[in-house]
Amino acid sequence: MSLASAVNLPYKVITVSGPEQLSYLHGQLTQDMNLITEHNFMWAGHCSPKGKLWGVFRLFKHQQSFMLLGSEPEIDASTRELKKYGVFAKVSIEPLNNAKIVGVHSPQLNNVCDLLGLNFEEQQNACDFGDNKAIKLDDTRLILIVSDSYEFPADIELSNDPSAFIEAGILAGEPQINEQNIEEFVPQMINLQALNGISFKKGCYTGQETVARMRYLGKNKRAMYIVQGESTRAIEDSELELHLGDNWRRAGKIVHQVFNSTTNTYSALAVLPNDTEHSAQLRAKNSPEVALKILPLPYSLDDQ
């Protein structure tokens, strides 16, 4: 029996380098760039001037460059916008090529780290191993950014199906937005503040006025929820409906979803009104036979 499963993930990485990389990103992202070191990763959002997200990322530093890890639609949108304004700064903004992004999932994560030669010091969630990078999501999951030539030990089983790893991220409430939702939500609508992905003390950055208004004036009326239900087949949907009386009404938008064929389970992250009751009866709009329930978030949405 293998010690862990490893799977190639459908994510991409932007690399930002150059003498003004820190100051440039500090003025672009919701995170305080001064907090990012070689030994940690933090969440960060990249907003339009109106405060709407182009993408939400795991942000870390590797080999003197900052790196943003996210889904392909988010990376594509943010790369375009970062390059648009990057011409006025001494920075280089490029995709990370010749690399694999691999998820590792195991209840024996300490043993996996020993096997791979990973050393996470106390309170640290990122480390280098050789020319590669590891970020620790929780006590059971890692994301590794490794060279194309990297070979895993025999005790780690390689898989081509990322659904179980993606499902674990959804159940952890880790935000991601799809192509249809680019530049639609402010960071608080996908719970970025609950993951310490927004600095309210760092000063100005693109979209900061809208983000601050949401916090201090109580303007935000939406939040991201975890929903789950049984399905006999893989489905992809864009909206949820809510049962009210004898009717079904539009409830909100699905931003990330996955089907686990092993358990016949559909899981999703959806942006709904933030007063939605946890007992609400929901369904997928285009697959109404799939009944969905709201699961508890693993973090608090109270103001940080």
Side-chain angles (χ1 to χ4, degrees), residues 54-302:
W54 281 310
V56 56
F57 305 101
R58 297 173 180 92
L59 172 66
F60 56 96
K61 194 171 185 179
H62 182 55
Q63 296 181 339
Q64 306 304 311
S65 298
F66 288 108
M67 295 187 175
L68 286 73
L69 169 67
S71 68
E72 185 170 352
E74 292 171 306
I75 291 290
D76 289 347
S78 279
T79 299
R80 179 187 67 242
E81 298 301 327
L82 286 172
K83 284 191 171 185
K84 183 185 299 183
Y85 299 103
V87 296
F88 302 107
K90 296 177 181 178
V91 293
S92 175
I93 302 162
E94 300 296 338
L96 180 64
N97 296 318
N98 303 317
K100 294 183 290 191
I101 301 169
V102 178
V104 178
H105 197 183
S106 174
Q108 305 176 64
L109 199 63
N110 288 337
N111 293 337
V112 174
C113 290
D114 290 342
L115 183 63
L116 294 173
L118 307 182
N119 183 24
F120 296 99
E121 299 292 338
E122 188 175 356
Q123 304 301 318
Q124 295 179 353
N125 59 13
C127 72
D128 296 336
F129 60 114
D131 292 331
N132 308 304
K133 192 77 180 186
I135 62 176
K136 184 179 180 181
L137 303 178
D138 57 27
D139 290 336
T140 64
R141 293 178 299 136
L142 301 169
I143 292 181
L144 308 177
I145 297 91
V146 299
S147 66
D148 283 337
S149 60
Y150 182 82
E151 294 186 6
F152 283 89
D155 287 341
I156 296 181
E157 178 185 1
L158 293 172
S159 167
N160 292 319
D161 181 7
S163 58
F165 192 92
I166 293 173
E167 180 184 59
I170 287 175
L171 298 180
E174 296 170 354
Q176 180 176 312
I177 53 178
N178 58 34
E179 187 173 8
Q180 291 74 36
N181 302 129
I182 298 292
E183 206 173 345
E184 182 169 355
F185 301 118
V186 299
Q188 289 97 326
M189 292 178 183
I190 51 94
N191 305 352
L192 193 57
Q193 80 285 1
L195 295 169
N196 297 317
I198 306 173
S199 172
F200 293 100
K201 299 178 181 179
K202 62 174 282 186
C204 294
Y205 58 88
T206 303
Q208 181 261 345
E209 186 175 329
T210 298
V211 177
R213 188 183 307 124
M214 289 288 177
R215 174 182 171 90
Y216 296 112
L217 299 182
K219 297 287 187 179
N220 183 37
K221 303 301 180 185
R222 288 185 278 179
M224 189 179 70
Y225 289 76
I226 305 168
V227 298
Q228 190 176 70
E230 295 181 1
S231 179
T232 58
R233 60 183 177 87
I235 67 168
E236 287 193 15
D237 218 315
S238 58
E239 295 187 15
L240 296 181
E241 292 183 326
L242 171 68
H243 190 224
L244 289 175
D246 296 329
N247 300 308
W248 290 88
R249 305 292 187 190
R250 180 181 180 277
K253 293 193 174 183
I254 296 168
V255 295
H256 190 30
Q257 59 196 316
V258 70
F259 176 70
N260 187 328
S261 60
T262 302
T263 60
N264 285 337
T265 304
Y266 171 80
S267 304
L269 297 173
V271 176
L272 308 172
N274 57 15
D275 60 355
T276 301
E277 298 288 341
H278 279 248
S279 59
Q281 297 180 50
L282 299 167
R283 70 182 187 184
K285 180 180 179 181
N286 295 322
S287 300
E289 74 281 3
V290 180
L292 300 168
K293 61 181 179 180
I294 295 175
L295 302 184
L297 288 165
Y299 45 70
S300 172
L301 294 183
D302 293 338

